[in-house]
Amino acid sequence: MGLKYPQLNGASETPHGEWGCDGGAGLCMLKPDDSGRCSILLLKNAQGTHDEGLWSVPGGAIERIAHTNKPEDPLHCALRETLEEVYRLPNGQVWTNPIVLRNAHTGFTYRLFLCLLPTNSQWNPSIRAEHNAYSWQALEQAAHTSELHPGVRCALDHMAQQWATAIQNQPLSFAVNATPNTNPLYITEAQFALRNLETPVSSSVEASLAQALPSETQALIEHAEAPTRVWLSQHPNQLPPGWDQDTIDKLPVSIPEIIRIEDEHSKSHVVAYHAFADSLLPGHWTGEVLMKALCKHESAGIRENLNHLSWHRNPFEINKNRGRDVHNLMEHTTNHPSRDNGDVGRFSLLSCNPSLFQNTDVDAMESTADYLHDAINVAPPNLKEWISGMLHTRFPACENARINKASDDILHLCTQASNALPTTKKASVLMQVLIPHALVNKLAYISASNGIPDSVNPDTLNTLVKLKTPHTNQEVPNARSLQIRLLASTLQDPKVAPHLKVNLFSRYTSSQQGAIKSRINDIIQGLHSDS
């Protein structure tokens, strides 16, 4: 195991600009049926892409790791490229000994790793713009596919011979009747997610926390208060349009409680608010608990920080632009003003408010405005699919009936929790993120609209401290409409997350959440014992 997602600078080139001088890697996905016969996943390259019109497998060029400028591990490359091209990894087993294809004339090397999915898996890819079709082809017929990439054809022609050596002289035939005993790398989305979390901020967290704040900012902090109370004092007897007492009563947390938490941290943290659809809960929250329960028995490097990690929106969303930090993103959105942060990477940035009500009455429609407007923009995960898939692949020695029973138990917990909730029109979850002052400028920036950095508020910390200080609140330019853009991957970074405080307010009581967490941990512990 021990996967770690490296921070990457991009695919390397030769001095003449040739693609992939460090080689490439891909994932050959095989799906057996009840008879043991396998199908292989092929993707058709879209027009305008490299090798357009050809059928191939997920993969791409090996990139260079930031700071060291060394090539990433080929297996990392294969998994990373697969995530980028098909959106989600399937549950399955990956053999760490690849088929190696080498061009004798150019020296280009491509490593193809075998991924075996569970029998009759229902997983299918969600193809992105670089592909326009996918197909599961019978393995013994795939080599005859029209317009097949020559490298894939070569790999299929030599697969039996290559894998006979690669998997300890136990050849993998086209009829796979049992899982080969070859010490494969078990992959589940939970395990992969928890090993792919570090961001460029990780290496400088401790140094930033130890560094003294500017004297001007420190002087302002001495007078800081709860920013939501400061906002209310500036708008006496007035709420933003759309907010009324009925709406406030449906909030998953009271305003006095929000202000109490803000007061408690006003001299040490800034606050950012974000909302998402309640339809993700218990899916979102259960997914987070399940991943922690699965990994805490074996992830020694992360175990101590598991309880600090928090997933935004769907816990399996992947940030496409892994190597970016907040300053890279600011530069990108400045140079591409027509694009919102959604085009920079999948939820690489969270749109947030600096207080509960600020910015909910303007066209930006950000953050807590999502609560007001029902936050229906995020689809819930398929609980049954990924719970069952994770457990089957994580505990391959357990009998199917035992795994299915555990899956049903977890799903039943979700159903019970949902049925116990009161029906209400406003069903969003409110996320409150408290960021230490010393980390603010590394994790967030101020945006005027559409993710574009606000040129009149270049110092994020100074702006946010002024907003929570009564005598300077009115001095902040664009105070009514500004947004915080928070680097979301830091919520999942095991080196950064312990320094953040994340509160998820929902209609689920703490006792309900505690009961679900305890039961899921018991279920996973039972499966570990049976294995």
Side-chain angles (χ1 to χ4, degrees):
M1 302 299 291
L3 289 177
K4 182 182 289 185
Y5 220 20
Q7 303 303 319
L8 306 173
N9 284 333
S12 54
E13 295 183 350
T14 67
H16 304 290
E18 295 157 344
W19 174 84
C21 71
D22 292 314
L27 207 60
C28 176
M29 297 189 194
L30 302 179
K31 179 169 64 174
D33 58 23
D34 286 329
S35 68
R37 307 193 75 79
C38 281
S39 299
I40 181 175
L41 176 66
L42 297 177
L43 306 176
K44 190 169 187 179
N45 296 325
Q47 185 175 2
T49 62
H50 192 64
D51 295 325
E52 66 178 54
L54 296 182
W55 288 90
S56 187
V57 298
I62 290 174
E63 298 187 0
R64 292 289 177 113
I65 301 173
H67 310 303
T68 67
N69 202 36
K70 294 180 180 179
E72 66 179 315
D73 181 84
L75 178 57
H76 291 156
C77 172
L79 295 173
R80 173 182 55 75
E81 289 284 348
T82 300
L83 278 169
E84 293 182 1
E85 294 180 19
V86 304
Y87 181 59
R88 287 178 60 185
L89 278 175
N91 293 315
Q93 298 169 274
V94 176
W95 271 259
T96 54
N97 297 318
I99 296 174
V100 180
L101 305 172
R102 185 174 290 108
N103 187 312
H105 299 289
T106 65
F108 180 82
T109 300
Y110 196 92
R111 292 171 173 83
L112 192 61
F113 294 87
L114 175 67
C115 176
L116 187 65
L117 278 63
T119 301
N120 295 326
S121 170
Q122 298 301 303
W123 179 88
N124 283 305
S126 298
I127 56 175
R128 297 184 184 273
E130 58 195 292
H131 302 291
N132 55 23
Y134 75 87
S135 177
W136 289 99
Q137 295 285 327
L139 188 56
E140 61 268 33
Q141 301 296 327
H144 306 293
T145 300
S146 175
E147 298 181 320
L148 183 66
H149 190 287
V152 177
R153 191 186 308 279
C154 178
L156 293 174
D157 288 342
H158 294 86
M159 183 173 285
Q161 176 185 348
Q162 291 283 341
W163 281 103
T165 301
I167 60 176
Q168 302 174 2
N169 296 318
Q170 298 183 32
L172 180 70
S173 69
F174 290 152
V176 182
N177 295 310
T179 302
N181 181 22
T182 59
N183 192 27
L185 173 70
Y186 287 104
I187 293 295
T188 70
E189 293 190 57
Q191 294 164 332
F192 192 76
L194 282 174
R195 287 163 171 79
N196 298 338
L197 302 177
E198 289 193 11
T199 68
V201 181
S202 294
S203 60
S204 59
V205 168
E206 298 302 330
S208 297
L209 290 169
Q211 188 174 359
L213 297 176
S215 56
E216 177 190 355
T217 303
Q218 190 60 57
L220 286 171
I221 290 173
E222 296 301 319
H223 303 282
E225 298 182 13
T228 295
R229 183 172 56 236
V230 172
W231 189 95
L232 289 169
S233 69
Q234 303 291 342
H235 303 80
N237 304 316
Q238 178 186 357
L239 289 175
W243 289 86
D244 54 26
Q245 190 59 49
D246 184 56
T247 304
I248 290 173
D249 289 342
K250 292 172 182 174
L251 279 169
V253 59
S254 70
I255 294 176
E257 176 62 10
I258 283 176
I259 292 175
R260 184 196 67 77
I261 296 172
E262 291 180 353
D263 264 333
E264 184 179 329
H265 298 89
S266 62
K267 301 296 191 291
S268 56
H269 295 70
V270 301
V271 65
Y273 290 95
H274 180 78
F276 52 83
D278 196 60
S279 59
L280 291 181
L281 284 174
H284 172 284
W285 190 80
T286 304
E288 191 166 320
V289 172
L290 180 58
M291 284 191 278
K292 292 174 182 178
L294 281 170
C295 297
K296 73 176 185 179
H297 299 276
E298 55 192 337
S299 305
I302 298 178
R303 184 183 301 132
E304 64 273 18
N305 292 325
L306 281 176
N307 290 331
H308 299 286
L309 302 182
S310 179
W311 272 259
H312 60 288
R313 303 186 183 231
N314 187 330
F316 295 134
E317 292 288 3
I318 300 299
N319 292 321
K320 184 175 176 63
N321 292 305
R322 307 155 309 282
R324 297 187 186 274
D325 59 25
V326 70
H327 301 293
N328 296 138
L329 290 167
M330 289 175 66
E331 181 179 357
H332 185 89
T333 49
T334 299
N335 295 333
H336 300 84
S338 63
R339 297 183 180 182
D340 195 4
N341 59 295
D343 294 319
V344 178
R346 289 199 64 83
F347 308 119
S348 292
L349 293 168
L350 287 186
S351 305
C352 301
N353 287 354
S355 66
L356 182 63
F357 298 113
Q358 192 155 357
N359 188 33
T360 59
D361 61 335
V362 294
D363 291 338
M365 289 294 119
E366 301 296 343
S367 187
T368 47
D370 286 342
Y371 178 84
L372 182 64
H373 295 277
D374 295 324
I376 58 174
N377 57 327
V378 185
N382 185 325
L383 289 180
K384 183 174 183 178
E385 175 186 325
W386 59 255
I387 289 177
S388 177
M390 278 196 290
L391 296 184
H392 271 289
T393 54
R394 176 58 192 85
F395 302 105
C398 284
E399 296 181 357
N400 283 343
R402 179 74 175 86
I403 294 292
N404 292 337
K405 175 64 165 57
S407 300
D408 289 342
D409 286 346
I410 294 174
L411 287 168
H412 183 61
L413 288 174
C414 298
T415 303
Q416 279 187 318
S418 297
N419 291 341
L421 293 175
T423 302
T424 176
K425 180 182 177 182
K426 297 294 185 290
S428 298
V429 177
L430 184 64
M431 175 187 285
Q432 182 190 54
V433 184
L434 295 148
I435 310 168
H437 288 144
L439 296 182
V440 169
N441 286 339
K442 285 188 169 294
L443 308 188
Y445 69 89
I446 300 298
S447 169
S449 64
N450 209 36
I452 303 170
D454 190 353
S455 60
V456 296
N457 285 297
D459 187 329
T460 305
L461 175 60
N462 189 267
T463 295
L464 295 180
V465 169
K466 283 183 176 180
L467 282 176
K468 61 178 181 174
T469 305
H471 68 275
T472 59
N473 179 272
Q474 298 299 306
E475 299 175 7
V476 177
N478 299 329
R480 179 170 173 266
S481 60
L482 63 80
Q483 310 155 14
I484 302 172
R485 294 295 171 123
L486 173 64
L487 190 62
S489 55
T490 57
L491 302 177
Q492 306 164 7
D493 187 323
K495 292 184 179 178
V496 180
H499 301 289
L500 307 178
K501 299 178 186 295
V502 180
N503 296 314
L504 286 179
F505 300 111
S506 77
R507 295 176 295 157
Y508 296 84
T509 66
S510 57
S511 60
Q512 285 175 312
Q513 294 187 23
I516 293 175
K517 182 176 181 180
S518 176
R519 181 65 184 127
I520 287 178
N521 275 282
D522 289 344
I523 291 171
I524 300 304
Q525 182 59 55
L527 292 175
H528 272 283
S529 300
D530 291 349
S531 301

